[in-house]
Amino acid sequence: MTRRRVLTVLFLGAALCVALLFAVVIRETSVGGEPNGDVPLRRLAADARIDVGTAVRGPALRDYPGYRAELAREFSTVTPENAMKWDAIEPVRGRLRWTDADALVRFARANDQLVRGHTLVWHNQLPRWLTGREWSAEALGRVLRDHIRTVMGRYRGRVAEWDVLNELTADSGKGLRTSLWSDVLGEDLAPKALRWAREADPDAELYWNEIAADGLSRKSDEFYRRVKALVADGVPLDGVGFQAHFNLDGVPKGFEANLRRFADLGLDVRITELDVALEVPADDAARKAQADIYAQVARACLRVPRCAGITVWGFTDRFSWIPASQPGAGEATLLDRGLDPKPAYRAFAEALRAGSVARSTAADATPSP
Ligand code: 9MR
């Protein structure tokens, strides 16, 4: 063999070894052949048999550089942060504005994402024409029924799930929250709204989304009691949303047990608005504690078979409701202001990855009917 041939054979052999080594490393560290950190959340979540979603802000979707690409890559469900609320859709009675809501629904279709409609019955973000006068129960009921029909009807077949009821439980844990709706419609409110929603789109999943009822507490007991009664009365309700607006106080006591007791009523449960507010500017220790809270929420959902998914309330610190509403707080999301991943992103992804192994093993072990 000539010297040149020997060198060629040695070179090819070495190249083959390096290639094999790479293949092994990539296989060990990836789902579906991509290196750690490069697997989008939506793929990790799909492997774990849940959805992962985010709230979407209309103006950001329109023109913030990089926002659309990140949104499409990482998330399998989207919730309009404001665009489907009453004041956004009908600021003046009878004049309907659909631009931002339509844009999101189109984006979701193009990117194979499920839309969670948000929200139909809420005490906030109502137009003046609705709040600035007295209503009889009959007249207000008619207005609400028409609203539900109009909005759900427009998106029939394109919005899979609706937060029909939002934050109806009183913070004290005693009865319904005081609002235009409960003041005028009283105890009929929830069953009527849910029945109108079922009529408007029989295929949509109907949710009651609740705030600050994530752990076991007086408020979540009241919420549970009401949901249980609706189910017992045969009122159409498919799922319950837990918003999970947290801070470094951590995940509230009994979070997983709370999810389970609602799931045991035969309902789906979802985490619908997860974020973890920090004092700003945050330091590394706070960012690490935040990461751990994101991971804990993911793990709790993954341990509950009826937990259908987790939605974060905004995915970048550039667009988050926290700084405007809680002065001194912020940095609550998975990505920083430049859309780069924070420790929270990596911990959340890791929890989904671990969950995908656990959930697929559990599913494999379940005997088929
Ligand atoms: O994130 C929303 C923010 O942009 C609005 O200004 C605010 C107005 O009330 O509503 C925020 O979203 C809320 C959601 O619709 C329902 N649960 C609480 C959320 C945070 O306030």
Side-chain angles (χ1 to χ4, degrees):
M1 224 191 267
T2 65
R3 200 168 153 216
R4 200 157 164 204
R5 273 217 174 140
V6 171
L7 282 175
T8 311
V9 168
L10 281 176
F11 175 76
L12 286 177
L16 191 66
C17 286
V18 170
L20 279 172
L21 195 67
F22 256 104
V24 168
V25 169
I26 285 174
R27 190 149 187 273
E28 289 302 305
T29 58
S30 75
V31 170
E34 286 161 41
N36 254 341
D38 282 348
V39 184
L41 296 177
R42 65 186 290 175
R43 259 189 55 207
L44 296 171
D47 287 346
R49 297 176 168 75
I50 62 170
D51 309 314
V52 64
T54 179
V56 178
R57 202 169 271 195
L61 185 68
R62 245 175 275 139
D63 57 18
Y64 189 73
Y67 188 91
R68 293 169 73 91
E70 205 67 39
L71 178 61
R73 183 184 121 89
E74 297 289 345
F75 297 101
S76 53
T77 90
V78 290
T79 306
E81 184 173 348
N82 292 304
M84 288 185 186
K85 292 172 179 172
W86 207 320
D87 67 345
I89 284 183
E90 197 181 9
V92 177
R93 192 169 189 183
R95 281 212 222 135
L96 299 161
R97 296 192 313 190
W98 303 105
T99 317
D100 279 352
D102 282 359
L104 180 59
V105 170
R106 271 198 310 275
F107 182 90
R109 174 167 278 198
N111 292 289
D112 192 21
Q113 292 164 318
L114 175 150
V115 184
R116 301 201 70 253
H118 177 85
T119 178
L120 297 165
V121 183
W122 193 29
H123 60 279
N124 260 340
Q125 290 178 279
L126 295 172
R128 272 288 192 77
W129 64 263
L130 199 51
T131 53
R133 52 163 281 188
E134 301 275 308
W135 294 92
S136 69
E138 213 207 339
L140 190 66
R142 227 179 301 122
V143 167
L144 180 57
R145 191 197 56 200
D146 288 349
H147 178 72
I148 291 174
R149 277 190 188 161
T150 306
V151 182
M152 287 186 74
R154 180 177 184 88
Y155 296 115
R156 202 179 295 132
R158 294 187 293 159
V159 169
E161 231 173 83
W162 279 96
D163 288 334
V164 178
L165 309 175
N166 198 37
E167 306 176 4
L168 256 49
T169 311
D171 289 325
S172 64
K174 288 196 205 124
L176 292 174
R177 176 189 300 278
T178 304
S179 73
L180 166 70
W181 305 116
S182 60
D183 288 354
V184 178
L185 298 172
E187 291 293 331
D188 284 349
L189 172 61
K192 280 196 166 156
L194 288 164
R195 290 201 170 100
W196 292 329
R198 182 66 96 221
E199 276 165 28
D201 182 354
D203 294 326
E205 301 276 308
L206 309 181
Y207 271 66
W208 181 336
N209 185 41
E210 193 53 81
I211 191 167
D214 310 294
L216 293 170
S217 65
R218 280 173 71 128
K219 182 171 180 183
S220 72
D221 285 351
E222 174 71 11
F223 180 33
Y224 177 75
R225 198 180 62 71
R226 288 180 170 273
V227 166
K228 191 175 176 188
L230 291 173
V231 172
D233 291 347
V235 175
L237 179 67
D238 302 298
V240 170
F242 299 91
Q243 295 187 8
H245 290 296
F246 295 153
N247 55 32
L248 288 192
D249 291 346
V251 175
K253 205 168 104 288
F255 179 57
E256 187 180 326
N258 197 35
L259 299 183
R260 279 186 197 281
R261 66 172 167 167
F262 283 84
D264 287 346
L265 297 173
L267 300 169
D268 285 335
V269 295
R270 270 186 189 274
I271 312 305
T272 49
E273 305 187 12
L274 174 62
D275 51 17
V276 182
L278 303 181
E279 273 178 37
V280 288
D283 60 14
D284 284 351
R287 278 191 280 271
K288 198 161 165 288
Q290 177 186 53
D292 192 46
I293 293 169
Y294 269 98
Q296 283 177 46
V297 172
R299 286 197 291 267
C301 170
L302 290 165
R303 280 195 295 262
V304 176
R306 291 296 295 261
C307 186
I310 304 172
T311 287
V312 293
W313 206 241
F315 61 90
T316 157
D317 290 341
R318 188 166 289 270
F319 303 109
S320 157
W321 71 291
I322 299 282
S325 70
Q326 297 173 36
E331 299 187 32
T333 75
L334 296 172
L335 306 182
D336 67 17
R337 294 178 60 83
L339 303 185
D340 284 324
K342 292 162 46 181
Y345 176 93
R346 288 185 281 275
F348 188 59
E350 195 42 53
L352 292 177
R353 185 190 306 276
S356 77
V357 176
R359 274 209 168 187
S360 50
T361 317
D364 291 346
T366 310
S368 42

